[in-house]
Amino acid sequence: MREITVTQALEEAMIEEMERDERVITMATTRAPALENKFGDRRVRFTPISEAAFTGIGLGAAGSGFRPVVHWGMVTFSFVAMDQIVNQASKIRYMFGGQADFPVTYRCTTGGGAQIAAQHSQSPYSMFMHLAGLKVVLPSTPADAKGLLKSSIRDNNPVIFFECSRLAGVTGPVPDGDHVVPIGVADIKRAGRDVTVVGLAYYVREALAVADSLAKEGISVEVLDPRTLVPMDAAAIRASVRRTGRLVIVDEAPATCSAASEIAALVTEDAETFRALEAPVQRVCAAPVPVPFSPPLEQAALPDRARIEAAIRRVLTCR
Amino acid sequence: MREITVTQALEEAMIEEMERDERVITMATTRAPALENKFGDRRVRFTPISEAAFTGIGLGAAGSGFRPVVHWGMVTFSFVAMDQIVNQASKIRYMFGGQADFPVTYRCTTGGGAQIAAQHSQSPYSMFMHLAGLKVVLPSTPADAKGLLKSSIRDNNPVIFFECSRLAGVTGPVPDGDHVVPIGVADIKRAGRDVTVVGLAYYVREALAVADSLAKEGISVEVLDPRTLVPMDAAAIRASVRRTGRLVIVDEAPATCSAASEIAALVTEDAETFRALEAPVQRVCAAPVPVPFSPPLEQAALPDRARIEAAIRRVLTCR
Amino acid sequence: MSDDKTALVEMLRKMIMIREFDLLAIELRKAKKIFGALHPYVGEEAVAVGVCAALAPSDRITSTHRGHGHCIAKGADINRMMAELFGRVDGYCKGKGGSMHIADFAIGMLGANGIVAGGMPIACGAALAAQLEDRGGVAACFFGDGATGEGEFHETLNISAIWKLPLIFVCENNRYGAGNAVESVRRVTDIELHAPAYGIAGVAVDGNDVLAVRDATAQAVERARRGDGPTLLHCKTFRSLFHAMRDAPPPETRAPELLAQWKARDRDSIARFEDVLTARGVVAAADVTAIREQVKRDLEAAVEFADKSPYPDPADLLVDMFAE
Amino acid sequence: MSDDKTALVEMLRKMIMIREFDLLAIELRKAKKIFGALHPYVGEEAVAVGVCAALAPSDRITSTHRGHGHCIAKGADINRMMAELFGRVDGYCKGKGGSMHIADFAIGMLGANGIVAGGMPIACGAALAAQLEDRGGVAACFFGDGATGEGEFHETLNISAIWKLPLIFVCENNRYGAGNAVESVRRVTDIELHAPAYGIAGVAVDGNDVLAVRDATAQAVERARRGDGPTLLHCKTFRSLFHAMRDAPPPETRAPELLAQWKARDRDSIARFEDVLTARGVVAAADVTAIREQVKRDLEAAVEFADKSPYPDPADLLVDMFAE
Ligand SMILES: Cc1ncc(C[n+]2csc(CCOP(=O)(O)OP(=O)(O)O)c2C)c(N)n1
Ligand SMILES: Cc1ncc(C[n+]2csc(CCOP(=O)(O)OP(=O)(O)O)c2C)c(N)n1
Ligand SMILES: [Mg+2]
Ligand SMILES: [Mg+2]
């Protein structure tokens, strides 16, 4: 199968969906020449630096029959628009009794590792997950990125689509044609017996690398990628943990009230899974600090293979 | 001891702290006549409806030697100001290497139960807890409200101070004089042997009511009130769970990535506490919907005594 | 604008309906027949009715926390509005929204909004849709004087100007934002003065003169259709009653003289319009009485409709969350 | 303003230092001696230096993502700035901030800011502090033309106007917001035209004329001290180089003629000022050469200082999170 980068996969998805449905339009503060040349500046808009306005514009256009794809740039900038996300987008359908649909997709990049410091290295998915009313997507491979972006654009609800910056240039196989991945279905990236590692975005890859090296010692690690955070595929996660009896969750967001906290809670509140749990659930997350600029500090703040491996060994030994 | 309402307790705290330190100033979109008459309109300001601006103004004044107390009104309105909270207030001290302090307190009301529907019935504490760099306070009694507001104003960091709307008129004993409650210390509101119930705000009272009725059956419920959510008194919660072996968490925020999720994770990731855990942790939270307006729907969306009691019975029976 | 009799009479009827609807809602709220918060539009009827009289049924609007008037002016069904205030299944939002969240997308009413200025970007999105549909449609957003303090006001003005969107910014300057007089939160109260910095038209109009509002709106619609973009329309009116009530109306703190001035027959939006129409011979006193009686009957029917409608079934709590 | 020789020469030195600092930073970034993103201030030196020349050391400013010039103009230590770019413990933020987050509260530099318009409310808070301190202090916020699209711009203008805060809004209109020309995101590029709606002074000035900027700022300071509140100062300048670089500078997409125009001796902020000062006999060619050599030596020393400084100890990761 052909190999392309996540960035290329996302652009393919945009082009295919804009070709497929002329109600799909896009907005961002940066120009998208490829799309603009193909679809014109009526459907492909660049905006003033006014995130609150164009976030609401996307919602209003969605409620008026279009299917906007709004790109915030970094998730950092979405916070300027948080009223439109929290008070409007997440509530508008239910609050109005389901009388209209709001098929709008909000894209943004996330994550650290590029020495661009606190404001530009955030991974606040859980803040969006907490809001009942949004779907939340976080792919880790080019194929999932393409397939899930297509599903997000076709979904009739507001979807927050996170793009991990460190994965942008990563290549992987992507099927030809209309490759669609359903929202809400986790994927076991590697099957294993001894411990379940739930990784998010970049840390799916890191977990797989650790699984490889531990395999040499005969430790069998299952690596599960939720791919969508809302709806979360709790059934798949619980089933995996019931098989392995052990769970490690890896993400670069700080642990407090994170997606990792939620996964830990989903596992331990389920009676059957709780009974199968043989060791404390471990969260391998970022340190509780704004991501620092200096490389040695940034490395210390973010999870890495050593910490993933240590957590796996902890749950394998500690009882 | 004299009994006053939470609202009176909070006003006492404001007056005492403004008398104690003239660098304490206040801002809100609504006038505060009592304070304005006492301290004048230079220190007691009402603002245009511009939450982003006056949230940042509070931060900038704090970095310039003052101790602002900014009242957003409802937490709902803080989302208009989220950039200043997420990208500025929570990161400014660490990002700048600790060269300045930012003693600013952000007050706001939270919670449902008043039939004011989705936008005006939110309890999004966890979105603030997730941000490394903010302290987060959520009292449940008049005494704690007064003591913790005083501590928040004296704290040299940004503090988010949540005021549960349904508790505003609730009365309770408040010691005379300079009553201060330290940030970061949980309080066991009722000691018990069989199960730990961690309640937040209004649901501390509801948990206590359930504990009373179950006591008649000889079921001994320990009710723990974290009082501050950041820093969370994990030691106190874990110690309680190690004693009782069972944990129920009650809050009116939706469960996903909530404070309840965090408490569940803190308990199950600690080896010693995990070993002591005899039943799955149960979260009694709001349904995953924007709070609906119609009374029967709103009641169904929010936790209540029946659901708290059912969760307690589940953890006592299920193994 | 068409000055045909039926159109003018319908404007008068809507203004009376808006006032009577909210006066009745206040009584129902005191009697605890309805719940939550209530923001009466009494005194400001000419703004909603004047603006909507210049819009087509297919044009879209966004409203505010004070939204009953906008609903009725855009043609909403008072039975379903009342049922919503009652929190019943036959309400516009099946009881999920209440007074602050009535919407009727079928008539282009994209929702009341509890967030000050929150509806402006949404209306801007509707204006973008209208521009892309290219069928001469326009959008209008209603907002208060207090909303001009919010950044979304400025951002939406700028984007709609640069994109030349068919959008009408209707500032309902009723002199107060909750407890604060507009002079206390703005150094300049001529809100239309914001327009030049965006290169758009800024117009001030007597917001208690329904025909003036209608005509100013019609001109804004023309500009929008010509591709000249948005208009900032400053409607000067007055909030006759309190900002909001829960269980009981708050005490009136404003000077009685001031209130009296605005109640005067030559100032009150409805009385003025009645006099204009009678002077023009469009209606006779008897017609007005008939309209008032019909409005009363319709409102009684609406209350009956609402009262008969069942409460939502708690089992349906999760319904309407996500679209298929 | 005092036109005494040392003050003028110091202004020239700072302008040269700003340009050389950023040109050097670009080379260091290409050589991977420093990390992250870099936003050079080259071409805009007259704005930062002109404004800060009219401020007292105790006055406070907020900066942007393009902040090196503001730091140097306000009197920051280039050794600690360079150490910060290197991510070392002797940097202003102990390596925690980097290029986009240099601050020196001791000299009233309240921080560069990676959020467009994000610094404006913070500066407004500093202005409130100055008003309460009542010692004649003022605050200034620097922001770009692109930042005028953000709501925080409008909100801060309005609050500072109503409170008559001693605040100076310095719009650095360098003609672009990243890849977008200002004309493409604003229908009106006379940014000072926003001022009348707030009842404040709006002034446009040649942003490449350091003395004009200084004098306009001095008048704004006067207004602020008189209690007349904020001024919106529109400084028209030009971004000579790229918006931002990571590992390598992005390709130049603008017309060579345009770039050449702004490089011309009568347009370039530094060359112009040199000629003014030589014409006035304030400096001779030799003095300028001496300044340039001193700047080079200082920068070499700064790089040496930075390179010698150790990286932060990962064990200190949690230090500086919360104040006692
Ligand atoms: C963002 C936001 N901040 C504060 C509030 C609280 N609030 C509700 S209505 C109101 C006053 C609004 O005044 P105005 O815009 O003039 O509208 P009016 O009530 O006069 O119709 C305020 C402050 C809110 N709903 N939203
Ligand atoms: C709120 C926000 N949105 C978007 C960005 C991304 N961004 C960084 S700089 C920039 C352009 C800013 O232009 P301008 O304000 O003119 O400043 P200049 O770069 O020209 O100095 C943008 C869009 C950001 N940093 N913050
Ligand atoms: Mg008003
Ligand atoms: Mg610029």
Side-chain angles (χ1 to χ4, degrees), chain A residues 111-117 121 165-166 293 298 302, chain D residues 29 35-37 246:
Chain A
Q115 298 87 52
I116 45 178
S121 307
S165 297
R166 275 187 286 182
F293 163 74
E298 184 178 36
L302 300 178
Chain D
R29 183 63 184 87
F35 318 95
R246 297 261 184 116

Side-chain angles (χ1 to χ4, degrees), chain C residues 144-146 172-178 239:
Chain C
D145 46 291
E172 303 181 304
N173 180 356
N174 62 5
R175 304 284 219 88
Y176 306 92
R239 197 189 72 209

Side-chain angles (χ1 to χ4, degrees), chain A:
Chain A
M1 212 185 294
R2 74 214 170 94
E3 301 240 334
I4 58 174
T5 65
V6 168
T7 302
Q8 291 166 323
L10 292 171
E11 184 158 289
E12 277 187 7
M14 287 302 300
I15 290 171
E16 290 172 20
E17 292 308 299
M18 290 190 78
E19 278 168 344
R20 180 172 178 275
D21 184 346
E22 65 174 14
R23 293 168 310 159
V24 176
I25 60 174
T26 77
M27 274 173 264
T29 60
T30 47
R31 301 187 93 121
L35 294 180
E36 206 173 318
N37 296 337
K38 226 170 159 24
F39 302 104
D41 60 9
R42 276 172 70 86
R43 289 179 66 193
V44 181
R45 307 222 166 196
F46 71 94
T47 71
I49 311 172
S50 313
E51 289 81 3
F54 68 76
T55 297
I57 289 170
L59 187 63
S64 306
F66 287 82
R67 307 185 78 82
V69 180
V70 173
H71 204 309
W72 284 319
M74 294 182 180
V75 67
T76 305
F77 315 141
S78 73
F79 294 113
V80 183
M82 208 63 174
D83 161 52
Q84 289 294 322
I85 305 159
V86 175
N87 293 325
Q88 313 298 340
S90 76
K91 299 176 171 52
I92 195 165
R93 185 175 203 279
Y94 184 84
M95 186 167 80
F96 291 155
Q99 63 179 282
D101 295 345
F102 299 89
V104 54
T105 302
Y106 295 107
R107 295 177 57 185
C108 59
T109 63
T110 60
Q115 298 87 52
I116 45 178
Q119 290 175 334
H120 293 69
S121 307
Q122 305 185 70
S123 306
Y125 341 106
S126 66
M127 296 173 73
F128 297 82
M129 293 168 68
H130 182 64
L131 298 165
L134 302 173
K135 294 188 179 181
V136 180
V137 177
L138 179 66
S140 74
T141 68
D144 288 346
K146 179 174 182 177
L148 282 164
L149 181 54
K150 286 165 79 81
S151 294
S152 300
I153 294 171
R154 295 181 198 182
D155 196 280
N156 284 324
N157 300 283
V159 178
I160 313 292
F161 189 95
F162 289 108
E163 306 165 15
C164 175
S165 297
R166 275 187 286 182
L167 292 175
V170 166
T171 60
V174 177
D176 294 312
D178 186 25
H179 172 63
V180 175
V181 174
I183 289 175
V185 182
D187 186 40
I188 293 177
K189 298 290 188 198
R190 176 189 179 115
R193 290 180 321 279
D194 303 331
V195 54
T196 300
V197 176
V198 173
L200 300 186
Y202 180 76
Y203 289 94
V204 172
R205 295 168 56 81
E206 296 305 285
L208 286 168
V210 172
D212 278 340
S213 68
L214 289 179
K216 303 190 188 74
E217 297 179 27
I219 299 174
S220 168
V221 177
E222 177 147 301
V223 177
L224 185 147
D225 178 0
R227 301 196 294 191
T228 26
L229 301 178
V230 178
M232 177 76 76
D233 191 348
I237 296 169
R238 288 168 174 164
S240 173
V241 173
R242 286 201 293 269
R243 286 194 299 274
T244 64
R246 294 174 166 81
L247 175 61
V248 171
I249 310 153
V250 192
D251 179 34
E252 66 179 299
T256 304
C257 298
S258 63
S261 315
E262 179 60 22
I263 291 166
L266 285 170
V267 159
T268 45
E269 76 185 356
D270 178 64
E272 200 186 329
T273 314
F274 174 76
R275 275 194 297 273
L277 206 51
E278 295 181 35
V281 174
Q282 296 295 296
R283 292 180 290 177
V284 179
C285 295
V289 297
V291 176
F293 163 74
S294 185
L297 284 183
E298 184 178 36
Q299 280 158 34
L302 300 178
D304 58 24
R305 295 179 187 184
R307 250 176 289 158
I308 298 169
E309 183 176 325
I312 292 173
R313 293 189 188 280
R314 266 202 310 283
V315 296
L316 285 171
T317 53
C318 139
R319 303 203 93 282

Side-chain angles (χ1 to χ4, degrees), chain B residues 49 51 77 80, chain C residues 65-66 114 116 144-147 150 174 176-178 243:
Chain B
I49 311 171
E51 289 82 2
F77 314 141
V80 183
Chain C
H65 52 284
R66 198 177 303 284
V116 167
D145 46 291
E150 291 286 4
N174 62 5
Y176 306 92
H243 165 60

